[in-house]
Amino acid sequence: MRVRFRGVEVRETVLLHGPSGWGEFGPFVEYADEEAARWLTAGLEAAWGRWPEPVRDHLEVNATVPAVRPEQVAGVLARFDGCRTVKVKVAERGQTLDNDVARVAEVRALVGPTVSVRVDANAAWTVDQAREALTRLSAYDLQYAEQPCPEVADLARLRVLLARDGVDVPIAADESVRRAEDPLRVAREGAADLIVVKVAPLGGVAAALEIVAGAGLPAVVSSALDTSVGIAAGVALGAALPGLDLACGLGTVGLLAADVAARPLVPTAGVLTVADAHAVVSAADQPGLAGHELSGSRRDWWLERLARCHEVL
Ligand SMILES: O=C(O)CCC(=O)c1ccccc1C(=O)O
Ligand SMILES: [Mg+2]
């Protein structure tokens, strides 16, 4: 990683190659096999299966700003060419609400009033903390707040409190969809205005499409910090969604210090194209792989994990 992101400094992953092309298996290292197995289903779908027909040929993508200091924000934004939406990480462990306000204020000052700004708290706030934080952060005009609190019931309660306070910040559910036993509970309980969907944790493009249809809420496709190979699957999902009005969090290849693809899937003029994603997945080889191959115990760890997850399927 160029800068630390959700506690990750070095991103490791497995690339799979099958008759349909390249797939990715990169569950975060702390995930147990049962959860990680869904990521394998997604990788196998990419390499051996078929994705649904696209209904659009390109997607708008957001810039993603990790929980950096205000003076680092301009440097991060410079890696996201032409993005008209910015997502800012907040509520990072060891930081304060003042740090979040300073970072979001810096983003808003740099991008001006016409760019959309959203925040992602990764479930780190209590309801009271979220209420206070979003009230303060709403001064910078937020498009939405992603997973402010951990529990579905917290999200539902927060929405009621914000409405009562007259704080106009829609709530998006991420972890409550991708790590939940029941990904549709959020929608049933009125706990979010929209959902974030990620191909790998949801077990593939087809599975994610089904969840969006079942939820009946607007959706945003986002990455799991994948290489260009995993991002290509995200593009396939975004391209197949019947409706898509918001920028997708698929610009994260720019956060990696290196990538596997000959032409990394980074946005140009704020956009990723289905054609470029197709080229990554169907390439004969991934030239960047050679310089970054794992060896020794890390390689063994991933191969053993891959075998265990395959047993789970
Ligand atoms: O959505 C984005 O802008 C980028 C992707 C992102 O934030 C993310 C990446 C890896 C793991 C979790 C998350 C998250 O949305 O919480
Ligand atoms: Mg999130």
Side-chain angles (χ1 to χ4, degrees), residues 182-201:
D182 177 0
L184 299 182
R185 191 176 149 214
V186 160
R188 272 201 318 276
E189 299 192 10
D193 298 277
L194 68 147
I195 60 171
V196 177
V197 285
K198 302 184 190 241
V199 170

Side-chain angles (χ1 to χ4, degrees), residues 15 22 24 227-232 253 256 258-266 276-277 279-281 283 285-290 292:
L15 294 191
W22 292 90
E24 181 155 357
T227 71
S228 287
V229 169
I231 294 296
V253 170
L256 302 176
D259 181 43
V260 296
R263 289 182 51 216
L265 274 186
V266 292
D276 286 346
V280 168
V281 169
D285 54 15
Q286 301 294 347
L289 200 56
H292 298 278

Side-chain angles (χ1 to χ4, degrees), residues 5-6 28 62-64 87 89 120 122 146 174-175 178 196 198 222-225 249-250 252:
F5 189 80
R6 72 172 289 291
F28 299 121
N62 63 268
T64 304
K87 176 167 118 172
K89 288 285 185 181
D120 186 352
N122 286 111
E146 186 171 319
D174 175 11
E175 284 85 343
R178 76 177 143 93
V196 177
K198 302 184 190 241
S222 173
S223 94
L225 225 50
L250 295 171
T252 50

Side-chain angles (χ1 to χ4, degrees), residues 86-174:
V86 180
K87 176 167 118 172
V88 187
K89 288 285 185 181
V90 293
E92 175 95 344
R93 198 186 295 188
Q95 296 191 14
T96 65
L97 177 54
D98 285 339
N99 297 138
D100 293 335
V101 171
R103 185 179 320 110
V104 172
E106 177 67 7
V107 169
R108 179 54 81 197
L110 288 171
V111 301
T114 61
V115 164
S116 298
V117 177
R118 54 179 77 147
V119 295
D120 186 352
N122 286 111
W125 287 323
T126 64
V127 173
D128 286 343
Q129 287 170 331
R131 188 182 186 186
E132 183 195 355
L134 295 179
T135 301
R136 279 185 68 186
L137 292 170
S138 67
Y140 304 97
D141 187 15
L142 298 185
Q143 183 185 43
Y144 62 75
E146 186 171 319
Q147 200 74 39
C149 309
E151 303 298 330
V152 172
D154 295 340
L155 299 179
R157 169 110 187 101
L158 177 63
R159 286 185 77 219
V160 171
L161 292 171
L162 292 176
R164 195 182 290 167
D165 296 344
V167 174
D168 183 17
V169 179
I171 300 300
D174 175 11

